[in-house]
């Protein structure tokens, strides 16, 4: 409303095309302008509602990164790489998306890219839909794991700290299952040469119900694991978190952190936005390199 003329009880010149109040005792100008005031107020309310109702979208932050193409044993994969502006990275985070080919799903982990960069954590973010043999709809877990290992090795080679940089793996839904499988491979020594065990794992509503021998394979992991789930998830219901959490907490070694959030559905960026504050998911995701290491 800053462009509205100020109302004064003095009698200034009619610079705004209205009579001074002292010469307009009937108040006709105020009666004429009131409808416009109410209209402006309604427009402001509509804008506020729109801002609240518009769901957060992590994709733009990731899409803004330059795309590079990395050769893997199963084909070329589009990859985004974010490197801290100054200093050697303290860790590399590998982000793995869910099943849908929609851009907002492929790049939803973008919600943490900037905060990771500020914490001196490099990020490598593949678009697995860009290669036929890694695309979620028709790929095998083996092919995806081999590609992810090649992508992680490529990213480590781009960093000043090289392959000694700790690797953190983040996965959501379908990508959560692939993240878990990758960490199991790296932990038991069946992964690519040059890659040691992952230093930490983040699982957001992982689609792991069909994983064979899951409990036994999870029990062998001794790395820190963060599990996040939204109570309003209508794709993989929140109740699915209970058996997964029980298996993680039953591991002989390795801490487990569980972060349930009230709202967010089946989207990491919305889960993070709906769980603010020091103890919220957004903070935990960004601080995970510090917590895991």
């Amino acid at each position: 409303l800053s462009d509205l003329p100020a109302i004064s009880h003095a009698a200034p010149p009619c610079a705004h095309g209205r009579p001074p109040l002292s010469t307009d005792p009937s108040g006709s100008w105020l009666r004429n302008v009131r409808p416009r005031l109410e209209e402006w107020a309604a427009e402001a309310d509509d804008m506020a509602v729109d801002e609240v109702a518009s769901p957060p979208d992590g994709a733009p932050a990731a899409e803004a990164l330059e795309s590079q193409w990395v050769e893997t044993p199963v084909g070329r994969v589009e990859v985004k790489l974010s490197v801290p502006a100054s200093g050697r990275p303290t860790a590399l985070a590998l982000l793995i998306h869910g099943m849908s080919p929609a851009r907002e799903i492929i790049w939803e982990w973008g919600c943490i890219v900037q905060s990771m960069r500020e914490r001196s954590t490099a990020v490598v973010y593949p678009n697995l839909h860009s290669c036929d043999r890694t695309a979620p709809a028709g790929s095998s877990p083996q092919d995806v794991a081999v590609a992810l290992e090649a992508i992680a090795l490529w990213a480590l080679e781009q960093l000043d700290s090289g392959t000694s940089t700790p690797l953190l793996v983040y996965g959501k839904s379908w990508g959560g299952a692939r993240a878990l499988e990758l960490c199991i491979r790296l932990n038991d020594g069946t992964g690519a040469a040059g890659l040691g065990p992952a230093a930490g794992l983040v699982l957001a509503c992982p689609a792991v119900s069909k994983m064979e021998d899951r409990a036994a394979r999870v029990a062998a992991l001794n790395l820190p694991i963060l599990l996040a789930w939204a109570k309003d998830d209508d794709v993989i219901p929140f109740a699915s978190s209970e058996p997964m959490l029980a298996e993680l907490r039953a591991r002989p070694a390795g801490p487990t952190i569980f972060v349930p959030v009230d709202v967010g559905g089946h989207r990491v960026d919305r889960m993070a936005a709906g769980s603010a504050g020091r103890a919220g998911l957004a903070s935990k995701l960004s601080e995970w390199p510090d917590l895991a290491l």
Side-chain angles (χ1 to χ4, degrees):
L1 304 181
S2 58
D3 56 342
L4 283 175
I7 298 176
S8 170
H9 291 290
C14 301
H16 300 286
R18 62 168 175 80
L21 296 181
S22 59
T23 61
D24 185 29
S26 66
S28 61
W29 180 80
L30 286 176
R31 285 196 299 273
N32 290 335
V33 82
R34 182 172 287 112
R36 184 57 182 148
L37 279 167
E38 294 172 350
E39 182 180 344
W40 269 325
E43 289 173 355
D45 286 345
D46 289 343
M47 289 174 64
V49 169
D50 288 344
E51 288 176 2
V52 172
S54 298
D57 184 354
E63 290 175 321
L65 299 172
E66 180 183 357
S67 289
Q68 305 188 55
W69 290 86
V70 175
E71 293 288 350
T72 80
V74 298
R76 298 171 72 237
V77 178
E78 179 191 14
V79 169
K80 307 277 190 177
L81 180 67
S82 170
V83 178
S86 60
R88 291 159 62 91
T90 58
L92 171 68
L94 169 62
L95 311 180
I96 310 174
H97 57 69
M99 176 168 280
S100 170
R103 56 165 287 280
E104 61 269 22
I105 303 303
I106 294 174
W107 304 118
E108 65 185 300
W109 281 114
C111 64
I112 63 171
V113 167
Q114 182 57 33
S115 60
M116 300 286 266
R117 191 169 187 264
E118 292 169 356
R119 289 180 171 273
S120 297
T121 299
V123 169
V124 61
Y125 198 165
N127 170 13
L128 297 171
H129 290 278
S130 62
C131 174
D132 289 342
R133 290 180 62 181
T134 61
S139 61
S140 72
Q142 172 72 16
D143 281 352
V144 175
V146 167
L148 290 173
E149 289 167 358
I151 290 165
L153 280 170
W154 170 85
L156 289 169
E157 291 169 356
Q158 313 308 307
L159 306 180
D160 292 340
S161 47
T163 56
S164 64
T165 309
L167 175 66
L168 305 168
V169 184
Y170 291 62
K172 175 249 175 174
S173 191
W174 174 87
R178 305 294 80 78
L180 182 57
E181 289 166 346
L182 175 62
C183 288
I184 290 170
R185 285 170 57 92
L186 297 179
N187 185 70
D188 65 18
T190 59
L195 276 180
L201 171 63
V202 172
L203 299 173
C205 45
V208 293
S209 62
K210 297 181 180 180
M211 183 180 292
E212 295 182 2
D213 300 323
R214 187 183 74 195
R217 298 173 75 191
V218 167
L221 290 175
N222 59 4
L223 75 169
I225 299 178
L226 185 153
L227 177 66
W229 223 297
K231 295 178 181 178
D232 64 346
D233 192 328
D234 58 357
V235 178
I236 305 179
F238 182 72
S240 300
S241 66
E242 296 176 5
M244 184 78 244
L245 182 60
E247 291 171 11
L248 293 175
R249 286 178 170 167
R251 294 180 297 149
T256 297
I257 297 177
F258 182 44
V259 186
V261 301
D262 291 330
V263 296
H266 200 61
R267 288 276 297 272
V268 169
D269 45 6
R270 297 180 186 177
M271 290 166 64
S275 178
R278 180 66 179 170
L281 179 59
S283 178
K284 289 287 191 296
L285 292 175
S286 298
E287 294 175 356
W288 186 241
D290 299 332
L291 295 171
L293 300 176

